[in-house]
Amino acid sequence: MHPKPPLIIPVENQVRELDPKLLLACIAARRGFVSIIGSHREIDFRIAAFPRGLYLNKSMTERNLKMFQIMRRIGHAILTWDEEALIHLPPDIYYSRRLSPVAIRHVSHLFAWGEENADLWRRYPEFPEDLPIHVTGNPRNDMLRPELHAFYAEEVRAIHDRYGDYLLVNTNFNHVNAFFPAQNLFKPVAHPGETPQFGKAGVGMTRPFAEALRDQKQAVFRAFQALIPVLASAFPRLAIIVRPHPTEGQAAYQRLAAGNPRIHVTNEGNVVPWLRGAKALIHNGCTTGVEAFVMRIPAFSFRPTVNAIIDDTFYVLSHGLSHQCFSAGELVAEIQQVLDGTLGAAGGEARAALVKRYLTGQDGALACERMMDVLQALTEKQPVLAAPALPKRLCGTALAQGRFLIKRLKSRFPGTHAPPEFHRHRYPGITLAELRRRIRRFQEILGDRTPVSVEAITPEIFRIRPSG
């Protein structure tokens, strides 16, 4: 049997990704694998310091290309899924934004959310013929399954103790209300009448589609700001929890909360316990609409304006798995039915068939187990990582160090699209003690008695290994 290479598991968005990736690391430890997990940014900065491993990425865009080239020179293998492939843009735009024909050729294996995701990749004109796709599901989906509900039981109780009964409003306006303006679909113009340049969110889109998406998002964003006080007034016994998208600015919502003590704005923790404790979810085109459907939480897609170019392409899944309401009055009336017990979660055979096509791993083996089956088979059959020639490794190490210095320097200049405070917003960090506590909870739920050692490599990067 060949030695198992470590799994390198970068985490970009802590509240959304860390727990499911920790679950993957726990299951990996049970299979005899060491995992290196932590801040995506910090792992990439130190990539040359780690032993050759299996780097589990979450995208394969043009922006990934430099790091992919560095990692391949050092000797790491790259396996990836796409966090944005569950609710995705129309195929042509998705391909231009999310798939680089050069970057994808550095990837050795792909993990798909479901059959729809796999089909989407297979239709990509530049898809490499020999690149395997494994339809395993995604670790994030595992956190929705009944077997894992106990993981967030304490969080659900704490939320109820703090807020009582509540409605959850999940917003998804990072395209027009981003944490920094340069991350929007279009950058702000210096003078009225100027043609706006694409921002980070608009890269890879056609201008007509980006403009349609901007106009639709702005209209719905305004409607949500008007809706939130209406909900607070209509349901005086409920708190209104507003949970902005992780890369969205919060100022507009904080202004609403300042005028009403029952409106609360938070990005605290993973969304799953907030969903589980909610009387109902209100969203528009958000992944949480899918998550609520899977967990049988009443969910409403609030659609005050409709644009077929957007709604019938981008948001088919998230709209289709929710109750759809086209006015505030209709929404209030249907939420009241939920509170009265006459309306439950959206259901029906058509919806069940739709979500089954998009999400593998809703029953049977966990998605993490399916992924580890692939990784274990891969490492047992043959040495998966050949040592590159010394000149190639030295080149990769030099490029990694150069990239680190350039990134650190650029982050200090004004106008950067991702300054240090944005990285802290996405990955605020976690203590070693808390990480160990979460691993123990996973092991208790799974009935896993594997002795595990957890140590800090840096304050933001950890090593998890079986110690027995």
Side-chain angles (χ1 to χ4, degrees):
M1 181 180 295
H2 303 287
K4 292 182 172 67
L7 306 183
I8 302 173
I9 310 176
V11 177
E12 186 173 59
N13 188 311
Q14 182 174 325
V15 298
R16 184 168 66 182
E17 299 173 30
L18 179 59
D19 289 340
K21 289 182 174 179
L22 268 184
L23 172 62
L24 178 62
C26 288
I27 293 174
R30 190 166 66 190
R31 304 284 189 100
F33 284 82
V34 174
S35 295
I36 296 168
I37 187 169
S39 160
H40 193 155
R41 179 176 170 84
E42 296 302 317
I43 282 178
D44 282 1
F45 282 162
R46 290 164 174 79
I47 195 66
F50 303 133
R52 292 194 305 276
L54 307 179
Y55 186 99
L56 303 183
N57 204 46
K58 65 168 198 171
S59 61
M60 44 196 147
T61 68
E62 189 69 27
R63 294 177 62 84
N64 294 124
L65 181 56
K66 288 183 180 179
M67 271 308 302
F68 282 8
Q69 292 170 335
I70 289 170
M71 287 189 284
R72 291 295 301 276
R73 284 186 171 96
I74 293 170
H76 300 298
I78 303 164
L79 305 90
T80 192
W81 57 85
D82 184 3
E83 287 288 340
E84 307 300 327
L86 180 61
I87 295 177
H88 61 78
L89 289 154
D92 288 349
I93 296 176
Y94 170 82
Y95 297 149
S96 65
R97 283 174 55 83
R98 300 296 300 174
L99 302 182
S100 160
V102 181
I104 197 172
R105 296 188 181 280
H106 290 280
V107 176
S108 62
H109 290 262
L110 291 174
F111 297 103
W113 287 83
E115 291 293 344
E116 195 278 341
N117 179 188
D119 288 345
L120 177 70
W121 284 339
R122 292 186 189 108
R123 296 196 304 270
Y124 178 45
E126 302 292 336
F127 190 82
E129 292 183 2
D130 58 347
L131 179 56
I133 299 175
H134 308 279
V135 184
T136 57
N138 188 282
R140 283 172 57 190
N141 189 50
D142 286 343
M143 304 305 299
L144 311 178
R145 289 183 46 160
E147 304 96 306
L148 271 298
H149 284 183
F151 182 78
Y152 288 122
E154 293 178 15
E155 285 84 348
V156 174
R157 285 193 294 269
I159 292 167
H160 270 293
D161 288 345
R162 183 175 179 183
Y163 298 106
D165 292 336
Y166 61 91
L167 299 174
L168 181 63
V169 180
N170 260 57
T171 68
N172 188 31
F173 304 112
N174 54 310
H175 293 89
V176 295
N177 183 42
F179 194 84
F180 286 100
Q183 296 167 336
N184 283 324
L185 287 165
F186 294 98
K187 296 178 182 179
V189 296
H191 305 286
E194 287 184 351
T195 301
Q197 300 299 307
F198 278 122
K200 183 181 177 183
V203 174
M205 293 186 186
T206 63
R207 180 167 284 272
F209 186 91
E211 290 174 346
L213 181 58
R214 176 199 60 196
D215 295 346
Q216 172 72 349
K217 285 285 189 179
Q218 287 178 338
V220 179
F221 179 40
R222 288 192 295 268
F224 263 72
Q225 292 175 75
L227 173 70
I228 291 165
V230 170
L231 294 175
S233 176
F235 303 104
R237 296 185 179 181
L238 301 180
I240 310 299
I241 306 295
V242 181
R243 190 178 172 91
H245 186 280
T247 60
E248 190 180 349
Q250 298 187 9
Y253 309 116
Q254 295 289 2
R255 287 193 292 271
L256 295 174
N260 191 314
R262 290 190 300 103
I263 299 173
H264 309 274
V265 183
T266 180
N267 268 127
E268 181 183 342
N270 190 286
V271 73
V272 173
W274 295 89
L275 282 168
R276 285 195 55 220
K279 291 294 184 182
L281 165 73
I282 299 95
H283 72 97
N284 180 290
C286 187
T287 306
T288 51
V290 182
E291 294 168 327
F293 177 86
V294 172
M295 292 193 292
R296 311 309 302 143
I297 306 298
F300 296 90
S301 185
F302 178 52
R303 304 179 61 187
T305 67
V306 176
N307 184 327
I309 295 173
I310 308 303
D311 293 305
D312 294 346
T313 57
F314 200 171
Y315 296 135
V316 173
L317 183 64
S318 54
H319 287 329
L321 297 179
S322 300
H323 300 295
Q324 298 182 44
C325 295
F326 298 89
S327 69
E330 182 183 4
L331 177 63
V332 167
E334 294 203 14
I335 291 174
Q336 187 60 56
Q337 292 179 47
V338 170
L339 301 178
D340 293 340
T342 59
L343 181 66
E349 292 182 6
R351 287 189 174 112
L354 180 65
V355 78
K356 184 177 181 179
R357 173 162 168 73
Y358 278 79
L359 277 180
T360 292
Q362 295 183 66
D363 51 27
L366 296 172
C368 288
E369 293 279 10
R370 299 169 196 238
M371 294 174 72
M372 288 310 307
D373 288 343
V374 173
L375 296 175
Q376 192 156 16
L378 182 66
T379 56
E380 288 178 353
K381 288 180 181 178
Q382 58 186 7
V384 70
L385 296 173
L390 181 59
K392 192 173 183 180
R393 293 204 309 273
L394 292 175
C395 177
T397 299
L399 288 171
Q401 293 171 345
R403 179 182 179 275
F404 168 77
L405 293 173
I406 291 169
K407 287 282 188 181
R408 286 291 199 214
L409 184 63
K410 286 176 66 176
S411 69
R412 300 180 183 276
F413 285 93
T416 177
H417 76 271
E421 57 266 36
F422 178 63
H423 292 292
R424 287 192 293 270
H425 171 71
R426 288 196 297 183
Y427 193 93
I430 185 171
T431 65
L432 178 60
E434 174 60 17
L435 196 79
R436 286 172 171 163
R437 186 183 71 86
R438 295 189 192 192
I439 290 171
R440 285 196 301 271
R441 287 170 71 178
F442 275 128
Q443 289 193 307
E444 290 169 1
I445 292 167
L446 297 172
D448 182 2
R449 297 183 179 181
T450 305
V452 171
S453 169
V454 187
E455 59 185 342
I457 299 174
T458 74
E460 294 179 299
I461 304 173
F462 304 89
R463 182 181 287 108
I464 301 169
R465 69 171 111 206
S467 57

